[in-house]
Amino acid sequence: MSAHYLGHVFDIHGGGKDLIFPHHENELAQSRAAYPESEVKCWMHNGFINIDDQKMSKSVNNFFTIRDIITLYHPLALRFFLMRTHYKSDANHSDKALEIASDRVYYIYQTLYDCDEVLSLHREENISVPVPAEEQKLVDDHNKAFLESMSDDLRTTDVLDGFMELLKAING
């Protein structure tokens, strides 16, 4: 079915780390038996979600859905929380972790709002002022680190740490 709708070559195929063996290895073997040109260019296997350091499970009644979370927290807070853990690692959900993520998202948007407020005072003046060398270096260094981190197995935690450093510099 996947070959019919998506072709025989997949750029990215993923799933939980518990599916590496035997599910994904069998899937690839079956596909290649039927279509020798079958290929997956990049396998991505994510970690599990734990609740307060305990594996999430319906049997221990610590199971919830994304819909449950976004009734309590903004979806961007959930996204930030998930990006704070490398995709291969288990994510440890806790209310405290989501509160911290929510605070970080608020900090980002408050910084952007404050910047917009200051810049709006000068928008109509058509002033062209170069970015000071020290600040330009911060931006250039972050851009370089961003590209390196994302190219090195999607290290989103490092990217977010660098981004927060830029925001601190802006607020300073």
Side-chain angles (χ1 to χ4, degrees), residues 58-84:
K58 288 181 182 178
S59 64
V60 294
N61 201 28
N62 69 349
F63 178 84
F64 53 83
T65 66
I66 291 173
R67 284 186 192 94
D68 297 333
I69 295 173
I70 62 175
T71 61
L72 302 171
Y73 299 97
H74 194 281
L76 290 175
L78 175 60
R79 183 180 292 174
F80 190 92
F81 162 75
L82 292 171
M83 289 176 62
R84 290 291 309 152

mmCIF file of all heavy atoms in Angstrom, residues 58-84:
data_model
loop_
_atom_site.group_PDB
_atom_site.id
_atom_site.type_symbol
_atom_site.label_atom_id
_atom_site.label_comp_id
_atom_site.label_asym_id
_atom_site.label_seq_id
_atom_site.Cartn_x
_atom_site.Cartn_y
_atom_site.Cartn_z
ATOM 1 N N LYS A 58 -1.448 2.698 29.836
ATOM 2 C CA LYS A 58 -2.860 2.641 30.224
ATOM 3 C C LYS A 58 -3.051 1.751 31.448
ATOM 4 O O LYS A 58 -3.901 2.027 32.286
ATOM 5 C CB LYS A 58 -3.717 2.123 29.066
ATOM 6 C CG LYS A 58 -3.888 3.102 27.941
ATOM 7 C CD LYS A 58 -4.779 2.519 26.849
ATOM 8 C CE LYS A 58 -4.903 3.483 25.685
ATOM 9 N NZ LYS A 58 -5.726 2.918 24.612
ATOM 10 N N SER A 59 -2.238 0.698 31.553
ATOM 11 C CA SER A 59 -2.425 -0.267 32.641
ATOM 12 C C SER A 59 -2.123 0.327 34.016
ATOM 13 O O SER A 59 -2.672 -0.144 35.011
ATOM 14 C CB SER A 59 -1.563 -1.511 32.412
ATOM 15 O OG SER A 59 -0.196 -1.174 32.442
ATOM 16 N N VAL A 60 -1.273 1.344 34.086
ATOM 17 C CA VAL A 60 -1.022 1.990 35.388
ATOM 18 C C VAL A 60 -1.758 3.327 35.494
ATOM 19 O O VAL A 60 -1.512 4.107 36.409
ATOM 20 C CB VAL A 60 0.489 2.181 35.660
ATOM 21 C CG1 VAL A 60 1.188 0.854 35.828
ATOM 22 C CG2 VAL A 60 1.153 3.017 34.603
ATOM 23 N N ASN A 61 -2.651 3.560 34.556
ATOM 24 C CA ASN A 61 -3.529 4.733 34.565
ATOM 25 C C ASN A 61 -2.767 6.060 34.582
ATOM 26 O O ASN A 61 -3.164 7.000 35.260
ATOM 27 C CB ASN A 61 -4.507 4.649 35.746
ATOM 28 C CG ASN A 61 -5.721 5.521 35.508
ATOM 29 O OD1 ASN A 61 -6.111 5.767 34.374
ATOM 30 N ND2 ASN A 61 -6.320 6.002 36.587
ATOM 31 N N ASN A 62 -1.664 6.109 33.840
ATOM 32 C CA ASN A 62 -0.965 7.389 33.691
ATOM 33 C C ASN A 62 -0.880 7.774 32.211
ATOM 34 O O ASN A 62 0.082 8.348 31.755
ATOM 35 C CB ASN A 62 0.424 7.331 34.326
ATOM 36 C CG ASN A 62 1.390 6.425 33.579
ATOM 37 O OD1 ASN A 62 1.001 5.664 32.702
ATOM 38 N ND2 ASN A 62 2.658 6.497 33.941
ATOM 39 N N PHE A 63 -1.909 7.448 31.494
ATOM 40 C CA PHE A 63 -1.982 7.681 30.055
ATOM 41 C C PHE A 63 -2.833 8.913 29.783
ATOM 42 O O PHE A 63 -3.845 9.141 30.444
ATOM 43 C CB PHE A 63 -2.615 6.451 29.374
ATOM 44 C CG PHE A 63 -2.774 6.614 27.897
ATOM 45 C CD1 PHE A 63 -1.724 6.353 27.043
ATOM 46 C CD2 PHE A 63 -3.978 7.034 27.361
ATOM 47 C CE1 PHE A 63 -1.870 6.498 25.663
ATOM 48 C CE2 PHE A 63 -4.139 7.182 25.993
ATOM 49 C CZ PHE A 63 -3.072 6.917 25.159
ATOM 50 N N PHE A 64 -2.412 9.715 28.820
ATOM 51 C CA PHE A 64 -3.194 10.869 28.388
ATOM 52 C C PHE A 64 -2.876 11.140 26.933
ATOM 53 O O PHE A 64 -1.917 10.600 26.388
ATOM 54 C CB PHE A 64 -2.912 12.101 29.249
ATOM 55 C CG PHE A 64 -1.461 12.430 29.335
ATOM 56 C CD1 PHE A 64 -0.827 13.168 28.350
ATOM 57 C CD2 PHE A 64 -0.701 11.985 30.402
ATOM 58 C CE1 PHE A 64 0.512 13.446 28.418
ATOM 59 C CE2 PHE A 64 0.646 12.260 30.479
ATOM 60 C CZ PHE A 64 1.252 12.996 29.488
ATOM 61 N N THR A 65 -3.669 11.982 26.324
ATOM 62 C CA THR A 65 -3.483 12.311 24.912
ATOM 63 C C THR A 65 -3.003 13.750 24.771
ATOM 64 O O THR A 65 -3.039 14.531 25.732
ATOM 65 C CB THR A 65 -4.803 12.152 24.131
ATOM 66 O OG1 THR A 65 -5.721 13.142 24.606
ATOM 67 C CG2 THR A 65 -5.390 10.755 24.318
ATOM 68 N N ILE A 66 -2.605 14.083 23.564
ATOM 69 C CA ILE A 66 -2.226 15.469 23.283
ATOM 70 C C ILE A 66 -3.415 16.386 23.531
ATOM 71 O O ILE A 66 -3.267 17.488 24.072
ATOM 72 C CB ILE A 66 -1.691 15.600 21.842
ATOM 73 C CG1 ILE A 66 -0.340 14.885 21.731
ATOM 74 C CG2 ILE A 66 -1.581 17.053 21.416
ATOM 75 C CD1 ILE A 66 0.218 14.798 20.335
ATOM 76 N N ARG A 67 -4.602 15.939 23.164
ATOM 77 C CA ARG A 67 -5.802 16.756 23.407
ATOM 78 C C ARG A 67 -5.952 17.077 24.894
ATOM 79 O O ARG A 67 -6.369 18.167 25.262
ATOM 80 C CB ARG A 67 -7.047 16.040 22.892
ATOM 81 C CG ARG A 67 -7.195 16.098 21.396
ATOM 82 C CD ARG A 67 -8.543 15.489 20.952
ATOM 83 N NE ARG A 67 -8.555 15.305 19.527
ATOM 84 C CZ ARG A 67 -8.230 14.182 18.903
ATOM 85 N NH1 ARG A 67 -7.876 13.121 19.580
ATOM 86 N NH2 ARG A 67 -8.261 14.119 17.593
ATOM 87 N N ASP A 68 -5.643 16.098 25.747
ATOM 88 C CA ASP A 68 -5.708 16.336 27.190
ATOM 89 C C ASP A 68 -4.729 17.431 27.609
ATOM 90 O O ASP A 68 -5.066 18.311 28.401
ATOM 91 C CB ASP A 68 -5.381 15.054 27.973
ATOM 92 C CG ASP A 68 -6.365 13.925 27.742
ATOM 93 O OD1 ASP A 68 -7.544 14.205 27.426
ATOM 94 O OD2 ASP A 68 -5.950 12.749 27.880
ATOM 95 N N ILE A 69 -3.518 17.379 27.069
ATOM 96 C CA ILE A 69 -2.490 18.351 27.450
ATOM 97 C C ILE A 69 -2.860 19.754 26.999
ATOM 98 O O ILE A 69 -2.721 20.718 27.754
ATOM 99 C CB ILE A 69 -1.115 17.949 26.891
ATOM 100 C CG1 ILE A 69 -0.648 16.652 27.535
ATOM 101 C CG2 ILE A 69 -0.088 19.051 27.134
ATOM 102 C CD1 ILE A 69 0.611 16.097 26.924
ATOM 103 N N ILE A 70 -3.356 19.876 25.762
ATOM 104 C CA ILE A 70 -3.606 21.225 25.252
ATOM 105 C C ILE A 70 -4.882 21.845 25.834
ATOM 106 O O ILE A 70 -5.169 23.004 25.545
ATOM 107 C CB ILE A 70 -3.575 21.298 23.713
ATOM 108 C CG1 ILE A 70 -4.653 20.449 23.080
ATOM 109 C CG2 ILE A 70 -2.197 20.928 23.197
ATOM 110 C CD1 ILE A 70 -4.737 20.596 21.565
ATOM 111 N N THR A 71 -5.608 21.096 26.640
ATOM 112 C CA THR A 71 -6.685 21.748 27.398
ATOM 113 C C THR A 71 -6.100 22.502 28.588
ATOM 114 O O THR A 71 -6.730 23.408 29.118
ATOM 115 C CB THR A 71 -7.736 20.735 27.909
ATOM 116 O OG1 THR A 71 -7.114 19.811 28.781
ATOM 117 C CG2 THR A 71 -8.430 20.036 26.758
ATOM 118 N N LEU A 72 -4.878 22.128 28.994
ATOM 119 C CA LEU A 72 -4.230 22.756 30.148
ATOM 120 C C LEU A 72 -3.107 23.715 29.753
ATOM 121 O O LEU A 72 -2.820 24.663 30.482
ATOM 122 C CB LEU A 72 -3.653 21.679 31.075
ATOM 123 C CG LEU A 72 -4.654 20.654 31.607
ATOM 124 C CD1 LEU A 72 -3.921 19.520 32.326
ATOM 125 C CD2 LEU A 72 -5.655 21.329 32.535
ATOM 126 N N TYR A 73 -2.457 23.433 28.626
ATOM 127 C CA TYR A 73 -1.299 24.216 28.201
ATOM 128 C C TYR A 73 -1.440 24.587 26.734
ATOM 129 O O TYR A 73 -2.039 23.848 25.958
ATOM 130 C CB TYR A 73 0.002 23.407 28.384
ATOM 131 C CG TYR A 73 0.251 23.015 29.814
ATOM 132 C CD1 TYR A 73 -0.107 21.754 30.272
ATOM 133 C CD2 TYR A 73 0.836 23.900 30.709
ATOM 134 C CE1 TYR A 73 0.107 21.381 31.587
ATOM 135 C CE2 TYR A 73 1.054 23.542 32.021
ATOM 136 C CZ TYR A 73 0.688 22.278 32.453
ATOM 137 O OH TYR A 73 0.899 21.923 33.757
ATOM 138 N N HIS A 74 -0.840 25.696 26.370
ATOM 139 C CA HIS A 74 -0.844 26.126 24.978
ATOM 140 C C HIS A 74 -0.090 25.088 24.144
ATOM 141 O O HIS A 74 0.930 24.540 24.593
ATOM 142 C CB HIS A 74 -0.184 27.495 24.851
ATOM 143 C CG HIS A 74 -0.434 28.141 23.528
ATOM 144 N ND1 HIS A 74 0.265 27.785 22.394
ATOM 145 C CD2 HIS A 74 -1.312 29.097 23.147
ATOM 146 C CE1 HIS A 74 -0.159 28.504 21.374
ATOM 147 N NE2 HIS A 74 -1.119 29.305 21.803
ATOM 148 N N PRO A 75 -0.549 24.805 22.924
ATOM 149 C CA PRO A 75 0.162 23.839 22.068
ATOM 150 C C PRO A 75 1.637 24.190 21.848
ATOM 151 O O PRO A 75 2.469 23.298 21.730
ATOM 152 C CB PRO A 75 -0.621 23.874 20.760
ATOM 153 C CG PRO A 75 -1.990 24.311 21.151
ATOM 154 C CD PRO A 75 -1.808 25.255 22.310
ATOM 155 N N LEU A 76 1.976 25.475 21.830
ATOM 156 C CA LEU A 76 3.378 25.853 21.667
ATOM 157 C C LEU A 76 4.211 25.468 22.883
ATOM 158 O O LEU A 76 5.406 25.175 22.764
ATOM 159 C CB LEU A 76 3.512 27.344 21.375
ATOM 160 C CG LEU A 76 3.018 27.781 20.003
ATOM 161 C CD1 LEU A 76 3.090 29.301 19.858
ATOM 162 C CD2 LEU A 76 3.810 27.104 18.899
ATOM 163 N N ALA A 77 3.597 25.458 24.063
ATOM 164 C CA ALA A 77 4.312 25.006 25.259
ATOM 165 C C ALA A 77 4.614 23.513 25.153
ATOM 166 O O ALA A 77 5.709 23.059 25.512
ATOM 167 C CB ALA A 77 3.495 25.300 26.517
ATOM 168 N N LEU A 78 3.659 22.748 24.642
ATOM 169 C CA LEU A 78 3.891 21.320 24.434
ATOM 170 C C LEU A 78 5.001 21.116 23.405
ATOM 171 O O LEU A 78 5.902 20.299 23.599
ATOM 172 C CB LEU A 78 2.602 20.628 23.980
ATOM 173 C CG LEU A 78 2.739 19.158 23.612
ATOM 174 C CD1 LEU A 78 3.235 18.325 24.779
ATOM 175 C CD2 LEU A 78 1.406 18.620 23.091
ATOM 176 N N ARG A 79 4.961 21.861 22.331
ATOM 177 C CA ARG A 79 5.995 21.752 21.297
ATOM 178 C C ARG A 79 7.369 22.085 21.876
ATOM 179 O O ARG A 79 8.346 21.384 21.631
ATOM 180 C CB ARG A 79 5.682 22.678 20.127
ATOM 181 C CG ARG A 79 6.675 22.552 18.994
ATOM 182 C CD ARG A 79 6.345 23.482 17.858
ATOM 183 N NE ARG A 79 5.110 23.053 17.224
ATOM 184 C CZ ARG A 79 4.491 23.722 16.265
ATOM 185 N NH1 ARG A 79 4.994 24.863 15.833
ATOM 186 N NH2 ARG A 79 3.398 23.264 15.733
ATOM 187 N N PHE A 80 7.443 23.160 22.659
ATOM 188 C CA PHE A 80 8.710 23.551 23.269
ATOM 189 C C PHE A 80 9.202 22.446 24.202
ATOM 190 O O PHE A 80 10.376 22.070 24.182
ATOM 191 C CB PHE A 80 8.545 24.873 24.038
ATOM 192 C CG PHE A 80 9.838 25.475 24.486
ATOM 193 C CD1 PHE A 80 10.496 26.398 23.692
ATOM 194 C CD2 PHE A 80 10.404 25.129 25.702
ATOM 195 C CE1 PHE A 80 11.692 26.957 24.101
ATOM 196 C CE2 PHE A 80 11.597 25.674 26.128
ATOM 197 C CZ PHE A 80 12.248 26.596 25.317
ATOM 198 N N PHE A 81 8.301 21.904 25.016
ATOM 199 C CA PHE A 81 8.651 20.805 25.922
ATOM 200 C C PHE A 81 9.227 19.625 25.145
ATOM 201 O O PHE A 81 10.266 19.064 25.520
ATOM 202 C CB PHE A 81 7.415 20.368 26.719
ATOM 203 C CG PHE A 81 7.548 19.018 27.351
ATOM 204 C CD1 PHE A 81 8.328 18.834 28.474
ATOM 205 C CD2 PHE A 81 6.900 17.918 26.810
ATOM 206 C CE1 PHE A 81 8.471 17.579 29.054
ATOM 207 C CE2 PHE A 81 7.030 16.664 27.383
ATOM 208 C CZ PHE A 81 7.816 16.491 28.504
ATOM 209 N N LEU A 82 8.575 19.238 24.068
ATOM 210 C CA LEU A 82 9.043 18.096 23.286
ATOM 211 C C LEU A 82 10.382 18.377 22.611
ATOM 212 O O LEU A 82 11.230 17.495 22.499
ATOM 213 C CB LEU A 82 7.992 17.689 22.252
ATOM 214 C CG LEU A 82 6.713 17.089 22.844
ATOM 215 C CD1 LEU A 82 5.649 16.931 21.757
ATOM 216 C CD2 LEU A 82 6.996 15.767 23.539
ATOM 217 N N MET A 83 10.587 19.603 22.167
ATOM 218 C CA MET A 83 11.850 19.954 21.514
ATOM 219 C C MET A 83 13.006 20.041 22.506
ATOM 220 O O MET A 83 14.167 20.018 22.107
ATOM 221 C CB MET A 83 11.705 21.272 20.760
ATOM 222 C CG MET A 83 10.842 21.139 19.517
ATOM 223 S SD MET A 83 10.578 22.702 18.685
ATOM 224 C CE MET A 83 12.244 23.177 18.229
ATOM 225 N N ARG A 84 12.704 20.137 23.802
ATOM 226 C CA ARG A 84 13.752 20.193 24.827
ATOM 227 C C ARG A 84 14.371 18.823 25.085
ATOM 228 O O ARG A 84 15.339 18.702 25.821
ATOM 229 C CB ARG A 84 13.196 20.744 26.150
ATOM 230 C CG ARG A 84 12.848 22.202 26.119
ATOM 231 C CD ARG A 84 14.029 23.122 26.023
ATOM 232 N NE ARG A 84 15.028 22.829 27.012
ATOM 233 C CZ ARG A 84 16.319 23.078 26.849
ATOM 234 N NH1 ARG A 84 16.762 23.634 25.751
ATOM 235 N NH2 ARG A 84 17.184 22.784 27.780
#
